[in-house]
């Protein structure tokens, strides 16, 4: 089974600053997808950003961007201009290409935003 | 509905009792997942339903856990003879399962189970 590792259990960032959350994964597959999900205290998991492995261009969604290094099997999330509402647990997830496959999640990084 | 709903939001039960957790996926979504999230942990895959195919039960931790999905819509996760280590948040997610694997999972708010 694929494994997803988030080595930073907790991170903090000053409001308006930039923070990077790390994620590495282990796979022998070439076709897969990567996701970052956010889980605020309300427990509602929300998709932040996603990336197809065959795309070399890093995905970007407003203040959120990824640094996808396929050879290194790394998929870090950069949050620019951090806001208080960004405080949450962030989970990295992996899914094999094609339907009918599981999602594999990391253990999460708890992000605190300091006013 | 507008999103994935789960009930109850919270459940407190005594050790040894059976519990049923319900998930209503987004209408039209063919795939449904159950996860367990223990305190301070990531999401542990439990079971996956896709259309009329046999479910992937590879994540169920013991035979006390079972799940069904009736009519390709609502799903019920049943835990028999609950143990204290079953205490966790149980999350349900659904996807439209179009061609390819980029479909986003839409999560419900979860059911927090506490076994005393």
């Amino acid at each position: 089974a694929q494994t997803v590792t988030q080595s930073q259990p907790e991170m903090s960032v000053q409001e308006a600053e930039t923070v990077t959350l790390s994620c590495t994964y282990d796979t022998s597959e070439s076709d897969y997808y990567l996701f970052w999900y956010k889980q605020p205290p309300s427990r509602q998991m929300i998709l932040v950003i996603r990336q197809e492995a065959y795309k070399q261009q890093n995905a970007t969604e407003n203040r959120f961007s990824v640094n996808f290094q396929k050879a290194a099997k790394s998929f870090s999330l950069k949050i620019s201009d951090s806001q208080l509402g960004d405080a949450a647990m962030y989970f990295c997830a992996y899914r094999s290409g094609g339907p009918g496959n599981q999602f594999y999640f990391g253990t999460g990084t708890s992000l605190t935003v300091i006013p | 509905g507008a999103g994935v709903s789960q009930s109850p939001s919270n459940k407190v039960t005594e050790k040894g009792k059976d519990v049923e957790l319900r998930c209503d996926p987004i209408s039209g979504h063919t795939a449904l997942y159950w996860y367990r999230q223990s305190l301070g942990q990531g999401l542990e895959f439990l079971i996956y339903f896709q259309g009329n195919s046999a479910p992937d039960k590879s994540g169920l931790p013991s035979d006390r856990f079972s799940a069904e999905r009736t009519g390709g819509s609502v799903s019920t996760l049943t835990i028999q003879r609950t143990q204290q280590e079953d205490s966790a948040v149980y999350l349900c997610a659904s996807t439209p399962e179009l061609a390819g694997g980029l479909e986003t999972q839409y999560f419900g708010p979860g059911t927090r189970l506490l076994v005393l």
Side-chain angles (χ1 to χ4, degrees), chain B residues 75-98:
Chain B
S75 178
T76 301
L77 176 69
T78 301
I79 309 174
Q80 295 178 310
R81 305 181 302 281
T82 53
Q83 303 294 313
Q84 289 181 331
E85 60 263 29
D86 298 334
S87 297
V89 175
Y90 290 81
L91 292 169
C92 174
S94 69
T95 74
E97 283 296 348
L98 303 171

Side-chain angles (χ1 to χ4, degrees), chain A residues 62-77:
Chain A
N62 300 314
R63 298 182 295 107
F64 299 87
S65 61
V66 298
N67 183 6
F68 174 46
Q69 301 289 329
K70 190 171 184 178
K73 298 178 183 176
S74 171
F75 183 61
S76 60
L77 174 69

